[in-house]
Amino acid sequence: MTSPSSASVRRINKEFADLQENPIPNLRCSLANDNLYQWNCTVAGPRDSVYAGGTFHFTLAFRPDYPFQPPTAQFTTRIYHPNFDLEGNICLPILRPQAFKPSVKLRSILEQVIHLLVEPNPDDPLSPSIAEQYNNDRPAFEKIARDYVQQFAKS
């Protein structure tokens, strides 16, 4: 692994400070073991979603060449969602290396993660069977998603 550049350190520090000074509602981020390149994040399930009442934890990991490569985001709280897999990986187009641009701010990435909780994207799933259920049997999807919140995301 290459060592981080000073530009990378400055950029992450600036964005982290911005999120501390102007937090996104219902989202908290902290450094994991004081490591600027590893963040622990917590988001409250949005009120207008099947994830309401849950508390979800995820990590953000930055590569040394950030912002030229996207961070990786991974949920550590189990979630029933078409855009997440069993390992907690997130299907978010903005995080794909071929689509990521250095101008993308972390705030935008975090807001898009929250938006996925309100409005899943079954057309770009990581879990095709859940996407199929979301499209074809929404009541069953919502029941299972709420059951997961009760079982895995209660704080």
Side-chain angles (χ1 to χ4, degrees):
M1 182 164 132
T2 60
S3 61
S5 70
S6 60
S8 175
V9 170
R10 280 194 308 273
R11 170 76 180 262
I12 296 171
N13 264 324
K14 182 179 185 310
E15 293 201 58
F16 184 77
D18 175 59
L19 288 166
Q20 301 306 304
E21 292 169 21
N22 304 298
I24 297 171
N26 301 313
L27 179 100
R28 288 187 331 242
C29 293
S30 62
L31 303 181
N33 301 316
D34 292 323
N35 181 349
L36 188 61
Y37 284 77
Q38 298 288 327
W39 292 15
N40 291 324
C41 302
T42 304
V43 62
R47 264 186 303 169
D48 300 337
S49 76
V50 295
Y51 306 104
T55 301
F56 299 89
H57 302 275
F58 65 99
T59 60
L60 277 181
F62 300 89
R63 295 177 178 96
D65 53 357
Y66 177 82
F68 300 103
Q69 290 294 317
T72 57
Q74 186 170 27
F75 265 58
T76 55
T77 303
R78 286 196 54 191
I79 184 167
Y80 190 79
H81 193 289
N83 304 109
F84 297 78
D85 67 15
L86 288 174
E87 288 79 41
N89 297 307
I90 304 170
C91 182
L92 192 60
I94 197 170
L95 292 177
R96 292 186 182 131
Q98 64 273 25
F100 189 76
K101 297 189 179 359
S103 60
V104 172
K105 301 286 187 219
L106 292 172
R107 175 176 299 279
S108 175
I109 293 168
L110 294 167
E111 288 171 341
Q112 287 187 45
V113 169
I114 294 169
H115 182 73
L116 269 183
L117 296 177
V118 175
E119 193 173 311
N121 180 5
D123 297 329
D124 190 17
L126 261 185
S127 298
S129 62
I130 297 174
E132 184 178 333
Q133 183 184 47
Y134 179 86
N135 283 330
N136 299 321
D137 190 355
R138 186 75 53 92
F141 163 80
E142 290 179 356
K143 181 190 181 324
I144 295 170
R146 285 188 181 101
D147 289 346
Y148 267 57
V149 169
Q150 291 299 315
Q151 189 172 358
F152 302 111
K154 281 305 202 183
S155 48

